[in-house]
């Protein structure tokens, strides 16, 4: 039985490094697969049909909504790819590599939310903990939550995250990228 127009489905997903840190600014594209050919739909409106960009956590979500009377199948198939090109200060452009390189998903009209994920093999995680100096807290390791931790890329771009309740912080950077991590004076601590 065909669905009613428009075709609608909610999608979400993640792009992370191999160690689990989210990768920001990845373009995740959904291309409709033509049921007659089994290939990406050649019509420009359907490939890419929708492009989502990951946030600082490496996550994206949104909807695919299409009004096309030729879409009468209960399931429609989509080719999903991830892409990120990053210009380094030297001028070289790094094209990130993802696993899997692409995914085929079957999506059903208006049934729940579908999720997908990719691993960015070009990015690495830079992680650490913000702790009080053990000398000042009786030899214990006490985490310091809510501390702004700054990362400066060689391009001059500054990224800031807050340490978690256990003092943990993380950044995603490209392999071989020179960075500086620092914590400014915070609430009288230096």
């Amino acid at each position: 039985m065909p669905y009613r127009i428009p075709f609608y489905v909610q999608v979400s997903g993640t792009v992370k490094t191999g160690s689990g840190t989210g990768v920001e600014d990845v373009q995740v594209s959904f291309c409709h697969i033509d049921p007659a050919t089994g290939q990406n739909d050649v019509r420009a409106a359907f490939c890419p049909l929708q492009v989502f960009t990951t946030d600082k956590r490496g996550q994206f979500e949104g909807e695919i909504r299409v009004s096309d009377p030729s879409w009468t199948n209960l399931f429609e198939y989509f080719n999903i790819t991830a892409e990120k090109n990053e210009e380094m200060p030297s001028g070289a452009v790094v094209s990130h590599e993802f696993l899997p390189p692409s995914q085929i998903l079957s999506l059903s009209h208006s049934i729940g939310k579908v999720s997908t994920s990719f691993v960015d093999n070009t990015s690495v995680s830079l992680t650490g903990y913000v702790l009080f100096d053990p000398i000042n807290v009786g030899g214990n390791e006490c985490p310091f939550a809510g501390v702004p931790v700054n990362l400066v890329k060689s391009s001059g771009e500054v990224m800031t995250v807050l340490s978690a309740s256990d003092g943990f912080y993380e950044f995603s950077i490209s392999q071989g990228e020179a960075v500086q991590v620092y914590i400014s004076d915070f609430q009288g601590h230096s």
Side-chain angles (χ1 to χ4, degrees):
M1 177 172 151
Y3 59 83
R4 291 193 173 107
I5 295 175
F7 179 89
Y8 171 80
V9 66
Q10 292 182 315
V11 295
S12 65
T14 60
V15 179
K16 296 187 175 193
T17 64
S19 58
T21 301
V23 181
E24 183 178 13
D25 294 329
V26 176
Q27 305 294 305
V28 180
S29 300
F30 284 69
C31 286
H32 179 251
I33 295 177
D34 185 337
T37 66
Q39 301 296 316
N40 286 350
D41 197 320
V42 295
R43 296 177 288 175
F46 296 127
C47 193
L49 173 64
Q50 187 70 270
V51 178
F52 301 97
T53 302
T54 57
D55 62 17
K56 290 183 180 200
R57 300 167 297 156
Q59 299 176 349
F60 72 89
E61 73 176 293
E63 60 185 41
I64 293 177
R65 184 184 303 258
V66 177
S67 292
D68 188 317
S70 68
W71 288 30
T72 59
N73 299 315
L74 181 58
F75 290 93
E76 294 291 339
Y77 293 88
F78 297 85
N79 183 17
I80 296 99
T81 57
E83 180 179 14
K84 180 174 182 175
N85 294 312
E86 190 171 10
E87 186 172 347
M88 305 307 279
S90 66
V93 175
V94 174
S95 293
H96 290 237
E97 295 179 14
F98 298 92
L99 279 180
S102 66
Q103 300 176 34
I104 304 295
L105 286 181
S106 63
L107 303 179
S108 180
H109 171 67
S110 197
I111 297 180
K113 184 185 259 189
V114 177
S115 186
T116 186
S117 64
F118 289 91
V119 174
D120 183 348
N121 286 330
T122 312
S123 293
V124 294
S125 300
L126 188 146
T127 64
Y129 289 88
V130 180
L131 305 170
F132 283 100
D133 186 339
I135 293 171
N136 297 326
V137 288
N140 297 312
E141 287 190 3
C142 295
F144 204 159
V147 176
V149 181
N150 304 292
L151 178 138
V152 181
K153 294 184 171 190
S154 51
S155 66
E157 177 188 357
V158 178
M159 300 168 62
T160 303
V161 297
L162 297 179
S163 60
S165 61
D166 62 355
F168 182 77
Y169 66 87
E170 64 183 345
F171 295 97
S172 169
I173 61 173
S174 293
Q175 290 181 18
E177 184 174 13
V179 298
Q180 177 185 11
V181 176
Y182 70 94
I183 299 171
S184 299
D185 288 347
F186 180 72
Q187 297 179 358
H189 300 276
S190 57

